[in-house]
Amino acid sequence: MEASQGVTVTVLYYDAPAGLIMHNAVLTGLPVSETGRVMIPQSFRNGKSIIVVLEGECKILNSLGERVYAQKSLGLDTD
């Protein structure tokens, strides 16, 4: 990770304390600590349960529960 100009990461998170829909956000220009961890601002962290931090800008193609939600929304539930 190039720390001199800040890094870009994609963050996957749920709304805290018990959100059911996963969200993603791309954050840019973040500093990196001396131990190599990306420093995510507290203002972003508030109200979120962060699941994963990915290096770079990532496009989510599919996520857990996405198909189940789509099937129920379209009335395709097989029960």
Side-chain angles (χ1 to χ4, degrees):
M1 283 188 266
E2 181 61 43
S4 62
Q5 297 176 1
V7 297
T8 297
V9 297
T10 300
V11 179
L12 303 182
Y13 64 92
Y14 290 101
D15 292 325
L20 299 176
I21 299 173
M22 185 169 31
H23 302 280
N24 67 297
V26 176
L27 306 176
T28 60
L30 298 179
V32 177
S33 73
E34 292 179 6
T35 60
R37 291 186 63 150
V38 176
M39 305 298 290
I40 298 173
Q42 188 62 43
S43 59
F44 177 81
R45 299 170 67 92
N46 289 339
K48 297 175 180 73
S49 293
I50 295 176
I51 305 305
V52 66
V53 178
L54 304 164
E55 184 176 2
E57 185 173 342
C58 302
K59 180 178 179 182
I60 310 303
L61 300 177
N62 196 344
S63 63
L64 180 66
E66 183 177 275
R67 291 183 183 177
V68 172
Y69 179 76
Q71 287 178 348
K72 288 189 179 290
S73 294
L74 294 174
L76 300 175
D77 197 7
T78 58
D79 291 340

